[in-house]
Amino acid sequence: MASPIAFDAFKAVLDGYAVGAGALPVRYENEFFQDLIDAETPAWVYVEIYGDSYNQDTMGAPGANVWEERGVTYLHVMTPSGKGSREGRVYANALLYLFREKPIGALFMPEMSIGAGDPGINFPNYYSTAATIFWTRRDITSTP
């Protein structure tokens, strides 16, 4: 799991997107989505935000070191099965533009892709096109 700081940064951008005109409904890990499936929603986004590592990057006085968190965010664009993948690619591309060349706070996103993805659970009658964002976050030791 990613830190709350990284999760909140992505969520703030995506929640702002979700209220815009033409935006897709957005659901995060461990949130209910059955209402979208029951309504046969034409397209929606399932978000997973992972922190792959959290490493000390400098050696110095306690409390004055730089730490680097690395992770991946998957934006699974869910479109109806059997309709092809183009629509999912269009939505995935638009979602990546929300983050391209736009650091969010201490998050830096140097690599993105559109491709196959596995949302980790079964979404009946939907196909997933994943927009993937690789990110890093650096901060000075910040223990509560």
Side-chain angles (χ1 to χ4, degrees):
M1 285 285 162
S3 68
I5 294 167
F7 180 86
D8 292 346
F10 279 104
K11 190 172 185 324
V13 172
L14 291 167
D15 286 354
Y17 157 80
V19 298
L24 302 178
V26 176
R27 295 294 194 275
Y28 299 89
E29 302 147 295
N30 198 30
E31 288 186 348
F32 293 112
F33 55 84
Q34 190 63 44
D35 60 321
L36 300 174
I37 292 173
D38 291 344
E40 297 180 5
T41 305
W44 53 284
V45 182
Y46 176 68
V47 180
E48 296 179 292
I49 304 170
Y50 290 107
D52 291 337
S53 66
Y54 197 52
N55 301 308
Q56 188 171 342
D57 195 40
T58 63
M59 301 299 254
N65 287 290
V66 175
W67 285 75
E68 181 178 62
E69 178 182 15
R70 291 183 213 172
V72 179
T73 296
Y74 297 105
L75 308 172
H76 298 280
V77 178
M78 310 304 290
T79 54
S81 294
K83 301 281 185 173
S85 63
R86 187 178 192 290
E87 181 182 20
R89 292 171 195 272
V90 170
Y91 285 123
N93 193 58
L95 287 165
L96 290 180
Y97 269 75
L98 296 173
F99 301 96
R100 195 170 124 177
E101 298 181 24
K102 299 174 186 171
I104 307 166
L107 285 174
F108 175 65
M109 295 154 279
E111 185 179 350
M112 300 178 183
S113 71
I114 297 173
D118 180 5
I121 64 176
N122 186 20
F123 294 101
N125 300 319
Y126 283 94
Y127 177 80
S128 169
T129 302
T132 304
I133 302 170
F134 299 92
W135 53 267
T136 61
R137 181 181 73 84
R138 296 172 63 83
D139 72 350
I140 303 297
T141 304
S142 55
T143 55

